[in-house]
Amino acid sequence: MFRGMARTEVTRTLARIAALEDPVRRALYFLVVERGGETSRDQAARGVGVSRPLAAFHLDKLVQYGLLEVTYRRLKGRRGPGAGRPAKLYRRAAGQLTVSLPPREYELAAELFAETFTGGKAKTLLERVARRVGRRLAARRRKQGRRAFVSVLARHGYEPSTTSDGTIIMRNCPFDALARTHKNLVCGMNRALVHGFKAGAGLTGYQIVANNRPGECCALLRPVMKSRSA
């Protein structure tokens, strides 16, 4: 049964999820998430095809429910007198929403497993298993190559995105909560898993490199530059 704090937390989480029931609000939330970084009110309004006041109303509601966060800065590098007030910008909130009815403690189980696998041979074994599982998951896709790789990333919550130079970044870490307390273990496991995805999808021409940008996955894939023959 739910009692005290458990009931309060479930009620609060359900209210936050219900805040996305409105189609305009939901579209604005997805727009901010998919853009990554910060989004202004004007950008949000244009992106979903609504007026700026309506976009501002719903964006602030999303902040009120803890789904978005606000930052302030001047746009286009304007400084000094006449630059105007800093713009109100929105980005996805760092927290996560999880509802389980009845209650489950999978994160606690993951924490216990992480403590068990920390260090030495156990960490090496975990990474070996992660590669094998990643390869198997990606190999299930009907097609091979880049599309299969990106598809398996999206399916498992990495939120992949490709930059103008062809780099594949992952804007979300599916293991964020555990990575905060066991960064070395989880990032090693994660990179091994991505290696497995890459191998299973038959993706070539990319190398996996470390990524230290806050809020993103600890790995990204960069196109391998072909050397020109003399």
Side-chain angles (χ1 to χ4, degrees):
M1 295 179 63
F2 290 102
R3 296 183 182 277
M5 290 299 295
R7 178 176 294 187
T8 300
E9 186 59 31
V10 168
T11 301
R12 184 182 298 117
T13 301
L14 290 174
R16 294 169 71 185
I17 294 174
L20 294 172
E21 184 177 3
D22 182 281
V24 174
R25 192 173 301 167
R26 186 167 59 247
L28 286 166
Y29 176 76
F30 287 141
L31 174 73
V32 173
V33 170
E34 290 166 4
R35 282 176 54 87
E38 300 169 329
T39 301
S40 70
R41 288 175 168 178
D42 287 332
Q43 290 169 331
R46 288 195 301 269
V48 301
V50 299
S51 68
R52 188 178 187 278
L54 182 60
F57 170 78
H58 284 298
L59 288 168
D60 287 337
K61 280 293 183 181
L62 290 168
V63 173
Q64 178 183 328
Y65 282 105
L67 297 169
L68 297 181
E69 295 176 346
V70 171
T71 60
Y72 293 89
R73 64 178 174 84
R74 290 191 175 91
L75 301 179
K76 300 180 180 179
R78 299 179 66 185
R79 298 288 186 273
R85 294 186 300 175
K88 191 173 186 178
L89 305 173
Y90 302 83
R91 64 188 180 198
R92 177 167 54 183
Q96 65 183 35
L97 295 180
T98 303
V99 178
S100 178
L101 302 174
R104 297 289 186 253
E105 280 286 357
Y106 299 117
E107 286 189 14
L108 177 57
E111 185 79 18
L112 296 174
F113 288 139
E115 288 287 346
T116 303
F117 276 92
T118 298
K121 295 181 180 179
K123 182 175 183 294
T124 301
L125 175 61
L126 176 62
E127 292 175 7
R128 187 183 307 152
V129 171
R131 279 180 182 253
R132 185 168 68 243
V133 171
R135 181 190 290 266
R136 184 174 72 240
L137 291 172
R140 292 175 180 172
R141 317 306 294 177
R142 292 183 179 179
K143 296 183 179 180
Q144 293 282 287
R146 186 180 176 282
R147 288 184 64 182
F149 177 75
V150 171
S151 176
V152 76
L153 287 178
R155 181 180 181 86
H156 292 285
Y158 284 88
E159 296 183 2
S161 179
T162 304
T163 63
S164 58
D165 66 356
T167 298
I168 302 173
I169 62 173
M170 293 164 266
R171 294 184 287 107
N172 182 55
C173 172
F175 317 109
D176 179 69
L178 196 59
R180 294 175 196 168
T181 54
H182 297 83
K183 184 175 178 60
N184 184 49
L185 178 73
V186 173
C187 286
M189 177 200 72
N190 179 67
R191 282 190 288 269
L193 188 62
V194 173
H195 270 286
F197 289 157
K198 181 174 177 289
L203 180 66
T204 59
Y206 287 85
Q207 61 179 343
I208 298 174
V209 299
N211 178 24
N212 298 316
R213 291 178 56 177
E216 296 183 358
C217 175
C218 61
L220 56 80
L221 280 86
R222 187 169 291 153
V224 177
M225 302 298 294
K226 296 180 179 180
S227 59
R228 296 181 179 178
S229 56

